[in-house]
Amino acid sequence: MEWILALVIGAATPAVATQNEAAAQFWLHMAQHCGQAYEGRRVVARDDRPDLLEGNERLIVHFRECSSELLALPFHIGSVDGSWDRSRTWRYSWRDGQLELRHDHRLSSGEPDESNTMYGGLSIGRGTPEQQQFLFTERTADDGSALGWRIEIVPGVRYTYGTFSGDNWTWRLDFDLSKPLDRLPPAPWGHQ
């Protein structure tokens, strides 16, 4: 088992030259969960606009694609009626030695949701091995403060995906990395 983990992490080691050791460590923290899926819950609900979630859904993140250039994490939302929304994949990559987060949104047909896909931003500053923030360059808050995504990873404990305004969480999902699912979800829409 240890040699498999070493192989996966080795294959997912960033190929990009970066002066940011914290970002490279963050990448490796994420990559060590490759091939696993985990359940989560909404911790902070939106209060500034309609929320994507009602709070009773089953939430799963799947560390599905891992290479030295891309970490792709589909986000599956299961409704209480048994249906699933498999439209979203969080894509982490490198651009000019800096981390980048993009959101791949697909329609149930598998086609890209042209009105709402591949938005994202670059990491802000150096971050830490456990936390990186990504600036949403197209928007700022009404008070002029930065908007973006805050991602946290504590290997074997927690993966957090959320949005922020200034210093505050505006939406937050926590996934329990101590309990990998026995059964992986199917591919997200538009992927094999």
Side-chain angles (χ1 to χ4, degrees):
M1 179 64 172
E2 290 175 6
W3 69 271
I4 293 172
L5 182 60
L7 181 64
V8 168
I9 290 175
T13 300
V16 174
T18 179
Q19 298 298 318
N20 188 344
E21 182 64 27
Q25 288 298 315
F26 176 86
W27 185 277
L28 292 175
H29 285 342
M30 298 272 282
Q32 70 181 287
H33 293 283
C34 283
Q36 299 292 324
Y38 306 90
E39 284 206 60
R41 62 189 180 89
R42 182 182 65 185
V43 176
V44 175
R46 293 220 67 115
D47 64 2
D48 59 338
R49 59 185 169 131
D51 198 317
L52 165 69
L53 304 172
E54 293 182 27
N56 57 1
E57 297 88 352
R58 185 172 181 208
L59 308 178
I60 296 175
V61 65
H62 183 190
F63 289 73
R64 185 170 191 264
E65 271 183 72
C66 302
S67 73
S68 62
E69 295 155 3
L70 175 69
L71 299 174
L73 285 62
F75 171 46
H76 303 268
I77 304 169
S79 296
V80 292
D81 66 4
S83 65
W84 284 89
D85 178 340
R86 302 186 192 283
S87 64
R88 294 165 174 78
T89 299
W90 300 317
R91 298 172 55 92
Y92 299 90
S93 61
W94 294 93
R95 184 165 25 135
D96 300 327
Q98 202 170 357
L99 282 173
E100 183 174 35
L101 169 62
R102 293 281 165 200
H103 297 75
D104 182 355
H105 286 246
R106 301 294 178 111
L107 304 172
S108 59
S109 66
E111 295 297 313
D113 181 353
E114 296 296 344
S115 67
N116 187 33
T117 194
M118 299 315 280
Y119 61 89
L122 293 171
S123 56
I124 303 169
R126 301 187 70 71
T128 71
E130 293 80 31
Q131 183 188 95
Q132 294 287 319
Q133 294 189 122
F134 300 85
L135 185 62
F136 189 11
T137 54
E138 287 98 31
R139 291 187 7 207
T140 57
D142 292 339
D143 67 2
S145 60
L147 295 175
W149 299 271
R150 182 178 297 149
I151 311 300
E152 297 180 353
I153 179 98
V154 181
V157 178
R158 176 178 49 84
Y159 167 74
T160 296
Y161 168 95
T163 57
F164 71 87
S165 177
D167 293 328
N168 301 313
W169 290 101
T170 55
W171 195 65
R172 178 176 167 170
L173 307 174
D174 283 358
F175 296 87
D176 183 354
L177 299 182
S178 70
K179 299 176 185 171
L181 296 177
D182 292 330
R183 190 169 159 194
L184 297 176
W189 296 339
H191 299 272
Q192 295 184 3

